[in-house]
Amino acid sequence: MVSDVHGNARDLARAGEGADALICLGDLVLFLDYADHSRGIFPDLFGVENADLIVELRTARRFEEARELGARLWGGIGGDRAALIEQAVRKQYAELFPAFPSPTYATYGNVDMPRLWPEFAGPGTTVLDGERVEIGGRVFGFVGGGLKTPMRTPYEISDEEYAAKIEAVGEVDVLCTHIPPEVPELVYDTVARRFERGSWALLDAIRRTRPRYALFGHVHQPLARRMRVGATECVNVGHFAGSGKPWALEW
């Protein structure tokens, strides 16, 4: 199981070795690597110095200044912003999706572009969002995407839409989401020095339906990588881009 792949196609190709299936909880795309500012779509377009600056502004929660910087940079290169981003995302997807073994079960992260996935997902990759599937005799539920933030990443949806997808999944053995439940220890990133957005609807569903596991990513360096919420073991299975190591779920 992996999450937050962020461009790591090399290790992704080996992630499913010895497993019955690979599960991916999203964020295939690498826009900007906070650990290495030379990697990603942003530095490719605007250079490492500007990547350093925008990371500094975002880490300091100076989001308005970060947006102003981004607007100036985009204005300086001309062209259609959406088209340039899509072109770069397509290039990454063309490398990443072929690395998925068969079978793979995947859902979207907040930096992914769901409308492009049908073009790249092969027959061995099953994409699920607000849906459930049986894997190895257990029922898995999948909910992709993130909630709205000042970062304005590509696949952010409203709390209501997210809650509806959680409700549609219902009772499962393993609840798989991109973002964590809204628990301070699970949503605080110790390197970015900020609370990421978790989901209250997800936390409520965990308490009500009591899945055996709740698995997620999104927060790359959390205060706690795993903890129990009632009867449920909550586990952060990222950050795959940095570690290159999948998390194994065994029954």
Side-chain angles (χ1 to χ4, degrees), residues 163-172 175 200-211 229-232:
K165 291 196 295 185
I166 292 288
E167 187 67 23
V169 165
E171 294 187 14
V172 294
L175 185 52
W200 288 106
L202 173 57
L203 179 59
D204 178 65
I206 290 169
R207 288 171 170 164
R208 285 188 295 104
T209 65
R210 299 163 61 88
V229 173
T232 302

Side-chain angles (χ1 to χ4, degrees), residues 99-210:
F100 279 139
S102 180
T104 290
Y105 300 88
T107 195
Y108 317 112
N110 60 292
V111 301
D112 285 311
M113 292 186 172
R115 65 181 179 81
L116 298 183
W117 281 36
E119 298 180 33
F120 293 93
T125 298
T126 302
V127 180
L128 302 129
D129 188 17
E131 300 163 283
R132 42 197 282 160
V133 67
E134 185 176 313
I135 306 172
R138 308 287 179 173
V139 179
F140 287 67
F142 290 81
V143 175
L147 298 174
K148 293 186 180 299
T149 72
M151 305 288 281
R152 299 180 181 176
T153 51
Y155 190 41
E156 295 181 352
I157 61 177
S158 70
D159 289 64
E160 294 76 16
E161 185 178 352
Y162 194 88
K165 291 196 295 185
I166 292 288
E167 187 67 23
V169 165
E171 294 187 14
V172 294
D173 298 306
V174 184
L175 185 52
C176 300
T177 60
H178 178 67
I179 63 174
E182 184 57 59
V183 177
E185 295 89 342
L186 300 177
V187 300
Y188 186 74
D189 192 305
T190 60
V191 173
R193 300 197 303 274
R194 65 169 179 258
F195 288 96
E196 302 288 357
R197 283 214 66 188
S199 168
W200 288 106
L202 173 57
L203 179 59
D204 178 65
I206 290 169
R207 288 171 170 164
R208 285 188 295 104
T209 65
R210 299 163 61 88

